[in-house]
Amino acid sequence: EIAEQVATNLDMMLDESARHKMRSVGVPSVEAFVAYQKGWKFFVEGHVAKDMLAELWRANEYFEEATELYPGFGDAWYWQADYYHHLLMDDPNRSREELSQAAQRNLELLTAAAENAPTAQQKASSEFTRALFSDDWTGIRTYLQRALDAQTCTGPNWSEVLAPFGLVDQLIRRSDKFIECEGGLRSALAYNRRIEALLFAGRRTEALEIANEAIEQIGQSDGTHAMRVWTLLAVGSVDEAVAESAMMSRGLKRAGHWPAIANLLAGNIEVANELAEDFLNDGEAKGSSKLTLLKFMGRQQEVEAMAAEIDERPAGHVILAGAHLDCMCGPMFDLGVTPNFKARLQE
């Protein structure tokens, strides 16, 4: 009752799922938890926003407030790191120094999350994500298994990028838990994770049903249209995928490759090439998305060259793992051109 009153005064209601989450993360400060919940709203919506980094930065302002109010708030430390993950993964124009600083800040936040984790599982999630972005994947499967065995709402974040390397069941389990923590399929991010898991499990028709539901339940957006394009392509409905892709905005930095791929697979070569060149020439477009597009276009030499360049970046191995998740097309390049990524897979 006290939590409800404070939340109301701060212009935010705690529903049953929020109260459950508050208990699960072990936070004694209502004010800190309300700040966290406000940040979580920006976090979830930011993952399908056109300017995701800006929205995640707004989320971090609330997460930081939560840790200032209650320094032992492990989850608030943990999710702050996601901004730096996306900066490392999605922003191709940062200098190497800026990327190195982001990698260091990521390490600091995940270390704080592990040190303040209220449960062994949450500590395992922090250790998993920290290992994923490190230069050593030794034991990472063990970290992931520990995190999933007693999974709570903390994570393990970014575990989906390991799905192409024999960890599909883990992706499904993580998706199930995320949706449970959200109180059901209530956001584009929850729908995205469910569709991703179903596609990797080969359950394509079910994935399409979920993509259709996403548009009905949360409305039309670039994010929900992109989900439907992926699933239509997966079930072989190429012409319908082209029509769906036409509803997406031009100039998208993360999902702008899918209209080109849809048209390419439909045989609309001239349109596909125009869309592809626009996306490939966009200096702010996501590197893993460019790799996927080049792979579908059969431009293998460019795939190898870009993969080699990404491999040298801080956390470049995570970008390359994410590209395999995005493409869902098997091995994308010769591992000989990506020695860092190859070493991580061997570990």
Side-chain angles (χ1 to χ4, degrees):
E1 292 175 358
I2 294 172
E4 290 279 11
Q5 184 60 49
V6 172
T8 300
N9 291 341
L10 293 172
D11 193 30
M12 179 177 180
M13 292 298 295
L14 293 179
D15 60 15
E16 184 55 39
S17 66
R19 287 194 293 270
H20 172 73
K21 187 179 289 186
M22 181 176 174
R23 291 190 293 269
S24 73
V25 298
V27 180
S29 167
V30 175
E31 292 87 350
F33 184 74
V34 169
Y36 172 79
Q37 280 291 93
K38 287 185 175 182
W40 186 252
K41 181 177 184 293
F42 282 109
F43 179 90
V44 170
E45 293 176 356
H47 277 81
V48 292
K50 192 166 185 178
D51 190 349
M52 181 171 59
L53 283 175
E55 294 300 296
L56 292 182
W57 183 257
R58 294 184 70 185
N60 271 14
E61 291 176 339
Y62 287 109
F63 291 153
E64 288 175 13
E65 180 183 344
T67 55
E68 288 171 2
L69 290 165
Y70 178 57
F73 201 156
D75 280 25
W77 289 113
Y78 184 74
W79 295 116
Q80 281 183 64
D82 195 64
Y83 168 82
Y84 297 95
H85 300 159
H86 282 286
L87 192 154
L88 290 164
M89 296 277 286
D90 299 346
D91 194 336
N93 295 319
R94 303 280 178 162
S95 67
R96 187 171 187 87
E97 181 181 0
E98 288 175 308
L99 293 174
S100 296
Q101 290 173 350
Q104 180 60 34
R105 182 56 179 157
N106 170 55
L107 176 62
E108 293 168 356
L109 289 167
L110 292 174
T111 298
E115 290 174 348
N116 291 286
T119 68
Q121 182 276 335
Q122 285 165 295
K123 182 176 181 180
S125 287
S126 300
E127 290 174 336
F128 166 79
T129 308
R130 183 172 60 185
L132 183 70
F133 281 86
S134 77
D135 291 328
D136 187 354
W137 278 7
T138 303
I140 199 166
R141 283 174 177 260
T142 301
Y143 286 131
L144 179 56
Q145 198 61 49
R146 286 176 185 166
L148 290 171
D149 281 346
Q151 192 180 104
T152 66
C153 297
T154 305
N157 201 23
W158 290 96
S159 56
E160 65 270 18
V161 302
L162 297 185
F165 313 107
L167 296 172
V168 176
D169 289 345
Q170 287 86 335
L171 176 62
I172 293 172
R173 289 174 63 190
R174 177 178 178 261
S175 166
D176 289 343
K177 188 62 183 182
F178 184 87
I179 292 166
E180 177 188 333
C181 292
E182 285 289 284
L185 288 167
R186 300 171 59 179
S187 69
L189 183 57
Y191 277 105
N192 183 86
R193 289 187 171 172
R194 166 55 75 200
I195 290 167
E196 215 167 47
L198 291 172
L199 287 177
F200 248 101
R203 293 156 61 181
R204 298 179 181 87
T205 301
E206 190 176 346
L208 180 56
E209 291 171 358
I210 297 295
N212 291 337
E213 180 187 319
I215 290 179
E216 292 171 4
Q217 295 299 319
I218 60 176
Q220 298 189 38
S221 68
D222 289 321
T224 54
H225 288 312
M227 293 179 214
R228 195 158 186 271
V229 171
W230 309 335
T231 52
L232 287 167
L233 291 176
V235 300
S237 299
V238 178
D239 290 338
E240 199 172 347
V242 170
E244 190 76 26
S245 72
M247 302 180 198
M248 296 171 63
S249 303
R250 295 290 290 264
L252 296 174
K253 310 304 180 187
R254 303 180 75 233
H257 56 313
W258 288 111
I261 291 170
N263 278 278
L264 178 69
L265 296 178
N268 304 327
I269 304 304
E270 187 174 339
V271 174
N273 284 338
E274 179 185 346
L275 292 169
E277 290 311 309
D278 285 347
F279 186 74
L280 294 171
N281 290 326
D282 186 340
E284 297 181 358
K286 187 177 178 183
S288 59
S289 300
K290 288 184 177 182
L291 274 178
T292 296
L293 176 55
L294 289 169
K295 184 68 179 179
F296 271 96
M297 297 181 76
R299 292 159 63 170
Q300 190 61 29
Q301 286 187 330
E302 292 173 78
V303 171
E304 308 270 337
M306 180 173 286
E309 180 182 344
I310 291 172
D311 190 58
E312 295 179 355
R313 291 169 49 129
H317 57 283
V318 189
I319 299 176
L320 295 175
H324 284 81
L325 175 70
D326 184 53
C327 192
M328 297 191 185
C329 55
M332 297 183 71
F333 45 78
D334 183 343
L335 288 176
V337 304
T338 56
N340 292 317
F341 182 53
K342 181 178 180 180
R344 300 295 81 76
L345 292 181
Q346 289 172 331
E347 289 158 359

